[in-house]
C-alpha cells in the first residue's frame, strides 16, 4: 500500500481505481461502480447489503483466482459467489493473472517491529509484469533528496519455465528488509537457479525459513502447487524455475 501511495504521489493514479481504467473497451465496466481494482492486481467487490448470502460479479477479460478459495475463473463473464453473511471471511476478492503482491507481518501500529522479510505472492502470466517496491523513513521529507529505497520485481512465464527478476536498487535509504520470500504459484518445480547457479533445495517451507540464506522448497497451498523461493533483497537477481524432468 505504501508503494502505491508513492506511485500516486508521482503519477496521480490512486490505489483504488475503476475497472474502466484497464478495460476501456469493455462496455460492461463503463458504469460498474460495484467492483474496482485495488492496485494493479486485486479486484474487489465488497458486500454492502445486510444479510446478503450471494452476489453476482462481472470479471473482465483475463484469468482470475479467488483469493479465499483458490478457484480459477476465466474473465469476460459473470460469476456467482456464495457469501458468508455471518463470519464475513470471504469478501469477494480476485487476483489477476500476472500479480505480484508483497505482504508483511500484521502489526498493531506502524513501526511495531522491523520488517526484515516480505512475503511476495506471485501469479506468473505469459506477459511480463512488474511491481516497484518502495520504502523510506516514513517520517521526514528526506525522500525528496534521494533517501528512499526502490526495487523492481518482475515475472514472466515461458511455457513450463518461470523467470523472476529483481532489479537494481535506486535511492540511498537502507531499510531493515533482508529477504523476499517469493510464493510462486503454478506448476511443480524441479530446479531453481539464481543468477545461473543452482539454489539449495529444502524439504519444506519450515526448513527453508530456518535457513539464513537463499534457497527454495515446493509444496501446495489453497491455490495449488507453489514454489517458495527465498532471495536476498537489495540485490539484482534472475531466478529461473524449471519444471520436473
Amino acid at each position: 500500500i505504501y508503494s502505491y501511495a508513492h506511485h500516486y504521489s508521482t503519477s496521480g493514479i490512486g490505489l483504488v481505481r475503476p475497472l474502466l481504467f484497464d478495460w476501456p473497451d469493455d462496455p460492461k465496466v463503463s458504469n460498474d461502480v460495484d467492483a474496482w481494482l485495488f492496485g494493479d492486481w486485486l479486484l474487489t467487490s465488497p458486500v454492502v447489503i445486510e444479510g446478503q448470502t450471494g452476489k453476482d460479479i462481472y470479471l473482465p477479460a483475463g484469468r482470475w483466482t479467488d483469493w479465499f478459495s483458490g478457484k480459477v475463473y476465466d474473465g469476460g463473464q459473470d460469476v456467482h459467489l456464495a457469501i458468508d453473511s455471518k463470519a464475513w471471511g470471504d469478501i469477494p476478492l480476485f487476483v489477476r493473472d500476472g500479480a505480484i503482491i508483497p505482504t508483511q507481518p500484521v502489526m498493531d501500529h506502524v513501526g511495531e517491529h522491523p520488517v526484515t522479510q516480505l512475503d511476495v505472492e506471485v501469479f506468473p502470466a505469459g506477459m511480463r509484469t512488474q511491481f516497484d517496491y518502495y520504502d523510506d523513513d516514513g517520517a521526514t521529507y528526506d525522500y525528496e533528496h534521494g533517501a528512499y529505497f526502490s526495487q523492481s520485481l518482475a515475472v514472466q512465464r515461458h511455457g513450463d519455465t518461470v523467470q523472476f527478476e529483481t532489479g537494481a536498487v535506486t535511492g540511498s535509504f537502507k531499510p531493515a528488509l533482508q529477504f523476499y520470500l517469493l510464493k510462486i504459484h503454478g506448476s511443480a518445480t524441479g530446479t531453481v537457479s539464481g543468477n545461473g547457479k543452482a539454489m539449495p533445495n529444502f524439504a519444506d517451507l519450515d526448513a527453508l525459513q530456518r535457513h539464513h540464506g537463499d534457497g527454495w522448497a515446493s509444496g501446495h497451498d489453497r491455490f495449488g502447487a507453489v514454489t517458495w523461493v527465498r532471495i536476498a533483497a537489495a540485490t539484482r537477481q534472475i531466478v529461473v524455475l524449471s519444471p520436473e524432468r
Side-chain angles (χ1 to χ4, degrees):
I1 292 174
Y2 198 67
S3 297
Y4 278 113
H6 168 72
H7 181 64
Y8 171 68
S9 72
T10 57
S11 71
I13 299 176
L15 174 61
V16 175
R17 57 195 74 171
L19 301 181
L20 184 64
F21 271 32
D22 286 60
W23 293 272
D25 299 321
D26 187 340
K28 293 202 68 171
V29 304
S30 59
N31 293 307
D32 189 349
V33 296
D34 193 46
W36 55 84
L37 286 179
F38 189 74
D40 291 318
W41 311 116
L42 295 173
L43 183 151
T44 183
S45 183
V47 176
V48 296
I49 299 175
E50 183 177 0
Q52 187 171 0
T53 58
K55 186 170 187 179
D56 293 316
I57 300 165
Y58 176 71
L59 300 177
R63 187 171 180 266
W64 300 91
T65 302
D66 186 305
W67 177 264
F68 294 100
S69 71
K71 185 176 179 179
V72 176
Y73 297 87
D74 289 325
Q77 63 170 330
D78 291 290
V79 298
H80 180 79
L81 290 187
I83 303 299
D84 177 4
S85 61
K86 297 187 182 300
W88 299 105
D90 58 356
I91 299 299
L93 185 66
F94 296 88
V95 185
R96 188 179 182 181
D97 228 20
I100 301 172
I101 308 172
T103 65
Q104 67 181 45
V106 173
M107 297 188 196
D108 290 330
H109 58 83
V110 174
E112 180 181 2
H113 49 74
V115 178
T116 58
Q117 178 175 289
L118 285 177
D119 291 0
V120 187
E121 304 281 354
V122 184
F123 296 79
M127 62 179 292
R128 188 178 189 273
T129 55
Q130 179 174 319
F131 178 87
D132 295 329
Y133 177 70
Y134 174 89
D135 198 8
D136 57 33
D137 66 17
T140 73
Y141 288 96
D142 289 351
Y143 67 90
E144 294 181 344
H145 306 287
Y148 62 86
F149 173 93
S150 182
Q151 185 171 30
S152 64
L153 311 176
V155 70
Q156 186 171 5
R157 181 180 296 281
H158 303 275
D160 293 331
T161 301
V162 173
Q163 181 167 306
F164 188 95
E165 301 175 31
T166 55
V169 170
T170 59
S172 60
F173 179 68
K174 307 294 184 184
L177 182 65
Q178 299 176 18
F179 293 100
Y180 297 116
L181 178 64
L182 311 176
K183 301 179 179 181
I184 301 177
H185 302 285
S187 56
T189 299
T191 60
V192 177
S193 65
N195 288 342
K197 297 181 180 180
M199 297 179 65
N201 178 221
F202 294 86
D204 53 34
L205 178 58
D206 288 341
L208 174 60
Q209 291 280 50
R210 290 193 297 270
H211 179 60
H212 296 294
D214 292 4
W216 70 281
S218 59
H220 289 80
D221 62 8
R222 68 183 182 278
F223 300 115
V226 59
T227 302
W228 298 283
V229 184
R230 195 167 188 250
I231 59 174
T235 62
R236 294 192 69 174
Q237 290 209 51
I238 298 177
V239 177
V240 177
L241 283 66
S242 300
E244 295 178 330
R245 298 299 182 186

